Amino acid sequence: YSRVLGPSNSSKIREKAMPFLGVAVVLLLSLASPASSCTEQERGALLGFLGGLMPGGNGGLKVSWVNGTDCCKWEGIVCSSDGTVTDVLLASKGLRGVISSSLGDLAGLKRLNLSHNWLEGSLLTELVFSRSIIVLDVSFNRLDGHLQELQSPNPALPLQVLNISSNLFTGHFPSTAWGAMKNLVALNASNNSFTGQMPSSICTNAPSFAMLDLSYNQFSGTISLGLGSRSMLKVLKVGHNSLSGALPVELFNATTLEQLSLPNNFLQGVLDGSHIAKLSNLTVLNLGSTGLSGKIPDSVGQLKRLEELYLDNNNMSGELPSALGNCSNLRYITIRNNSFIGDLSTVNFTMLDLRIADFSMNLFTGPIPESIYSCSNLVALRLAYNNFHGHFSPRIGNLRSLSFFSITNNSFKNITNALQMLKSCKNLTSLLIGINFKGETIPQDETIDGFENLQVLTIDDCPLVGQDPLWISNLENLGMLDLSLNQLTGQIPSWIDGLGFLFFLDISSNQLSGNIPTALSKLPMLLSERNAAKLDTRFLELPAFWTPLRQYRTVGAFPSKLCLDNNNFTGVIPPEIGQLKMLDILNLSSNSLTGEIPQEICNLTNLQTLDLSDNQLTGAIPSALSDLHFLSRFDVSNNKLEGEVPSGGQFDSFSNSSYSGNPKLCGPMINNDCNSRPSSASGKRRNNLRPALVIGITAGGLIALIFGRELESPDRWRNIITRCMMPMVRTCNGTQQSCPTSYSHR
């Protein structure tokens, strides 16, 4: 039944509808031509539905849905041998408008699929409580409002499968309507905004009920008691709600359960070993982000069919039970962000068919267990943020399928050996090994070849010494490179523009020097949208957590950035940097850059962050920066800028701290009126008056002195004036730069 209404997913965005099992059967039957045509009433009912669609929103149905023709031959219509319309299959047609009540006039309709369209309005009771429909799928539309209660008693309705997921429904789930749903097998109401208590009468009234998905709603209260009494229940998904309380004991009486998914709720308690052992048919157990505490019980080893185990983001602790190695079908395990301790070697991974394993953010110690290298199908392994230590084993090369590998923030040693071992993993696309290898030298060895498929490489915060290694220039598929927070020296290498897919470069907080090379302005991925479209759009095997609250599922979802801050770069900002039209983040702060902010930066129309603070930049802030409509963070503090701060657009939202340490800046945004300050021209004029004023006063005094002594001769007078005053003029002209300085602090 999990194929009827769709699988559980870790994100709303990724949720997709699966084909109905009944539809597949009907499509096979529809290959036979009907013996007779549909009735006039059925034709009218279908045309009534067509009439309820918006102009331009009929998905091209008007081409085949022509009045006077046999509706059994219309697109999306299936009829029985006697000409009765049994199926209306119009999924993903781009339909817009409302669902007409005329569809309720199709007395023989058994299956109605209107999923993945843009239909609006309410869900008609004529369809939900139909006397003929057994499969109703209106998922992935824009239907809204409350579900209606059944107004009058009805005999048992034939509806078996109801999929109303991914709409805009609100309110409480109807309580009495399900009394007539005695044939219901599967209900998917996920991805809506239902509130109140979970409906429990569904299971009570429908003896064959097997699948319930209420995830991604706003249900509250406890998990409804009585669910476990149904012997046929196979799938229960109520994750991403606001449910609270302990896991009810009765739930574990549903021994037929194959999928139990309750993530992202506010549950309490521990996993009881005797209870969990009853669910021997489980293939998926998802209790992530529920608030569980305690240990993983040894009885988990009795779940021989278990394929996926999610216990992440809880308060669990203790050592992993060795019995976990008995779950021979286990393919996916994540226990990240708990307080598990001990050595992972207590679990023998040899018998497991692991594909994805996430043990990050715990308190594990010791080396990487040797037995995990036997998992030849392992695609993703994350051991980050633990206390693992030691050297890499040569057996890591056995992980031929490994694509994602993260050991960030542990205590591994010998980076050269580690890279030499890992290059045998030819399928590696993401390698995150930062905060290890303390104080070692970044290897320059050109024999570190391999890594031809690597897209993400982070070796940050080790701190390594040395220069940017040449072997990185051979990583032709590299899109993201993070070497920040090390002690690398030298200049940015000239080969950097040879990395044709590089769009994310962070070399901040090192000791790099020299000018910013124009090679950075030639990175193809940052030049045009057409180039950026070439980035790999496949999902990462595990989400990459770049910050505690931000995770990325694809490489292309990361912002494009150049972070060169906290280094020793000198010279000017190259104007060619304005060619990087796809750049989102530019950080050149805390260097020794001089000159003006180039006008070309105003061409970076995608820019969200621009940080040029703590340099020695001069001149004005380009006014055209106010046209950068995505700019949300701007900092030019602690420079030598002057003139009026731009206004309008995003600049109306930046705080004073963005401009502090630039005393010559003015404008309303920094509470410094430009009109009350001398302009640079008037300042120069006032400064030029100083020597003249000195000359005038001195000349007057000398003339008075001379005339008071009865001037002896005109030549003597001229000599005195020349000898006394010319040094003053030369001194003032010679220190011309000091004149405006004295006014700059007024």
Side-chain angles (χ1 to χ4, degrees):
Y1 290 105
S2 61
R3 292 184 54 82
V4 176
L5 296 180
S8 172
N9 297 287
S10 60
S11 168
K12 277 184 162 183
I13 300 175
R14 297 186 60 202
E15 190 164 313
K16 298 182 182 294
M18 298 291 287
F20 284 113
L21 185 62
V23 171
V25 176
V26 173
L27 288 177
L28 293 174
L29 295 175
S30 67
L31 297 176
S33 301
S36 58
S37 62
C38 65
T39 66
E40 187 64 33
Q41 179 183 353
E42 290 175 321
R43 185 184 299 109
L46 292 172
L47 291 175
F49 167 74
L50 183 62
L53 302 178
M54 297 172 57
N58 58 49
L61 294 181
K62 281 191 174 181
V63 176
S64 65
W65 287 32
V66 179
N67 195 9
T69 61
D70 183 7
C71 63
C72 290
K73 298 180 180 179
W74 291 358
E75 181 181 357
I77 304 302
V78 177
C79 295
S80 63
S81 58
D82 63 357
T84 301
V85 174
T86 58
D87 295 66
V88 176
L89 309 175
L90 298 173
S92 303
K93 294 293 184 182
L95 305 180
R96 296 175 180 270
V98 298
I99 302 176
S100 172
S101 60
S102 65
L103 289 179
D105 296 332
L106 297 174
L109 185 63
K110 294 185 178 299
R111 283 160 285 268
L112 175 61
N113 189 349
L114 300 175
S115 63
H116 289 84
N117 285 293
W118 297 88
L119 299 171
E120 300 177 347
S122 60
L123 180 60
L124 302 176
T125 56
E126 292 92 332
L127 302 179
V128 179
F129 304 124
S130 166
R131 299 289 184 87
S132 63
I133 296 179
I134 59 175
V135 175
L136 175 59
D137 188 353
V138 291
S139 61
F140 290 90
N141 279 285
R142 299 183 60 82
L143 302 176
D144 57 17
H146 294 198
L147 293 187
Q148 300 299 313
E149 293 279 6
L150 188 61
Q151 298 300 320
S152 58
N154 264 353
L157 299 175
L159 189 64
Q160 297 178 16
V161 177
L162 176 61
N163 190 349
I164 57 174
S165 65
S166 300
N167 278 284
L168 305 173
F169 294 118
T170 57
H172 287 54
F173 223 73
S175 57
T176 61
W178 309 106
M181 302 288 184
K182 299 187 182 300
N183 293 299
L184 198 63
V185 174
L187 168 64
N188 189 343
S190 63
N191 291 353
N192 282 286
S193 297
F194 290 115
T195 57
Q197 293 279 338
M198 279 179 55
S200 58
S201 58
I202 304 175
C203 297
T204 306
N205 295 321
S208 298
F209 192 72
M211 187 273 190
L212 176 63
D213 190 348
L214 301 176
S215 56
Y216 294 104
N217 278 286
Q218 299 172 26
F219 289 111
S220 57
T222 59
I223 296 177
S224 300
L225 301 178
L227 286 173
S229 64
R230 307 314 307 169
S231 60
M232 293 295 292
L233 190 64
K234 295 178 181 289
V235 178
L236 176 61
K237 303 177 185 178
V238 291
H240 300 271
N241 281 284
S242 298
L243 300 171
S244 58
L247 292 173
V249 176
E250 293 87 342
L251 180 62
F252 297 95
N253 292 329
T255 56
T256 56
L257 267 177
E258 297 177 2
Q259 297 185 35
L260 177 59
S261 182
L262 314 174
N264 290 84
N265 281 291
F266 303 101
L267 306 178
Q268 304 169 1
V270 300
L271 270 183
D272 186 283
S274 60
H275 293 162
I276 201 70
K278 295 179 181 180
L279 305 182
S280 58
N281 289 303
L282 274 184
T283 59
V284 176
L285 177 59
N286 189 345
L287 299 175
S289 300
T290 55
L292 291 180
S293 57
K295 300 180 179 181
I296 299 178
D298 288 336
S299 59
V300 73
Q302 299 178 33
L303 306 181
K304 303 294 186 181
R305 299 183 60 192
L306 191 65
E307 297 178 6
E308 300 178 19
L309 176 62
Y310 304 81
L311 296 173
D312 52 305
N313 300 307
N314 282 304
N315 301 310
M316 305 186 75
S317 57
E319 295 189 6
L320 295 188
S322 59
L324 190 63
N326 297 329
C327 301
S328 56
N329 285 303
L330 192 63
R331 298 187 175 193
Y332 190 118
I333 179 173
T334 173
I335 57 173
R336 64 173 275 114
N337 196 18
N338 281 282
S339 297
F340 292 112
I341 61 173
D343 196 321
L344 268 187
S345 299
T346 57
V347 179
N348 185 354
F349 294 94
T350 305
M351 299 302 295
L352 305 187
D353 189 22
L354 277 182
R355 309 297 172 88
I356 295 178
D358 191 346
F359 302 107
S360 63
M361 299 180 70
N362 282 285
L363 302 171
F364 291 118
T365 58
I368 300 175
E370 286 285 324
S371 63
I372 208 166
Y373 301 133
S374 300
C375 302
S376 58
N377 292 319
L378 192 63
V379 173
L381 176 60
R382 177 154 47 205
L383 305 171
Y385 292 90
N386 279 285
N387 297 314
F388 292 111
H389 57 78
H391 298 73
F392 281 18
S393 165
R395 292 189 62 200
I396 199 170
N398 296 341
L399 303 179
R400 302 289 182 177
S401 301
L402 193 64
S403 176
F404 183 105
F405 185 51
S406 172
I407 57 167
T408 303
N409 202 352
N410 282 282
S411 299
F412 291 106
K413 296 181 179 180
N414 199 338
I415 185 174
T416 301
N417 176 70
L419 291 171
Q420 292 286 7
M421 301 290 181
L422 286 168
K423 72 179 185 180
S424 300
C425 303
K426 299 296 185 181
N427 287 311
L428 264 181
T429 59
S430 300
L431 180 59
L432 295 81
I433 59 175
I435 320 183
N436 286 286
F437 317 111
K438 298 296 184 182
E440 297 183 20
T441 300
I442 193 167
Q444 305 290 326
D445 194 346
E446 293 186 22
T447 62
I448 301 177
D449 41 16
F451 300 113
E452 55 265 24
N453 292 308
L454 201 61
Q455 299 178 24
V456 180
L457 175 62
T458 68
I459 319 178
D460 58 304
D461 198 7
C462 289
L464 301 174
V465 298
Q467 298 187 348
D468 289 336
L470 183 61
W471 56 268
I472 291 181
S473 66
N474 298 322
L475 308 181
E476 57 185 25
N477 288 303
L478 193 65
M480 300 177 61
L481 176 61
D482 188 350
L483 299 174
S484 63
L485 293 161
N486 285 293
Q487 297 180 17
L488 303 180
T489 57
Q491 301 184 0
I492 297 177
S494 58
W495 47 256
I496 195 71
D497 59 346
L499 299 177
F501 287 93
L502 190 67
F503 71 95
F504 183 111
L505 176 63
D506 191 345
I507 52 175
S508 62
S509 299
N510 280 283
Q511 299 175 19
L512 300 170
S513 57
N515 294 341
I516 296 176
T518 56
L520 286 177
S521 63
K522 300 176 183 178
L523 294 173
M525 288 295 105
L526 300 179
L527 290 174
S528 71
E529 188 172 358
R530 183 172 61 181
N531 289 340
K534 299 176 183 177
L535 288 172
D536 193 345
T537 58
R538 290 176 295 180
F539 283 105
L540 294 170
E541 291 76 12
L542 279 172
F545 294 87
W546 222 251
T547 67
L549 298 177
R550 181 172 295 178
Q551 63 175 337
Y552 296 89
R553 297 309 304 254
T554 66
V555 171
F558 281 89
S560 57
K561 64 186 289 186
L562 288 179
C563 286
L564 281 60
D565 49 296
N566 285 290
N567 279 286
N568 300 316
F569 293 116
T570 56
V572 301
I573 300 174
E576 292 85 356
I577 209 164
Q579 300 173 16
L580 304 179
K581 301 293 182 63
M582 304 306 298
L583 196 61
D584 296 316
I585 298 172
L586 177 61
N587 192 339
L588 305 177
S589 65
S590 299
N591 283 287
S592 298
L593 300 175
T594 56
E596 298 187 349
I597 300 175
Q599 291 286 338
E600 288 79 2
I601 282 187
C602 303
N603 297 330
L604 304 180
T605 52
N606 283 337
L607 208 59
Q608 301 174 26
T609 296
L610 177 59
D611 193 343
L612 305 176
S613 62
D614 295 288
N615 281 287
Q616 301 175 30
L617 301 174
T618 56
I621 301 175
S623 59
L625 284 174
S626 62
D627 295 330
L628 302 183
H629 301 301
F630 297 110
L631 195 63
S632 58
R633 185 175 183 272
F634 177 74
D635 194 346
V636 291
S637 60
N638 300 317
N639 279 285
K640 299 179 180 180
L641 300 170
E642 60 183 73
E644 186 171 3
V645 172
S647 59
Q650 296 295 93
F651 274 79
D652 291 343
S653 63
F654 300 138
S655 65
N656 289 355
S657 61
S658 298
Y659 313 101
S660 63
N662 293 280
K664 291 187 179 181
L665 287 177
C666 63
M669 298 305 298
I670 56 175
N671 299 318
N672 191 4
D673 189 359
C674 294
N675 294 326
S676 66
R677 297 170 50 82
S679 66
S680 58
S682 64
K684 289 181 180 178
R685 286 195 299 270
R686 294 183 64 179
N687 289 324
N688 289 337
L689 290 176
R690 275 192 170 186
L693 184 61
V694 173
I695 293 172
I697 294 173
T698 307
L702 287 173
I703 291 172
L705 178 63
I706 292 169
F707 278 97
R709 289 188 171 186
E710 297 179 353
L711 188 60
E712 297 179 351
S713 72
D715 290 336
R716 180 183 173 100
W717 179 80
R718 280 193 296 270
N719 289 336
I720 292 175
I721 296 292
T722 302
R723 188 171 61 252
C724 295
M725 296 186 184
M726 289 308 293
M728 296 181 188
V729 175
R730 285 197 300 271
T731 301
C732 187
N733 289 340
T735 59
Q736 197 167 13
Q737 292 180 351
S738 65
C739 298
T741 302
S742 62
Y743 271 81
S744 64
H745 299 289
R746 288 173 68 92

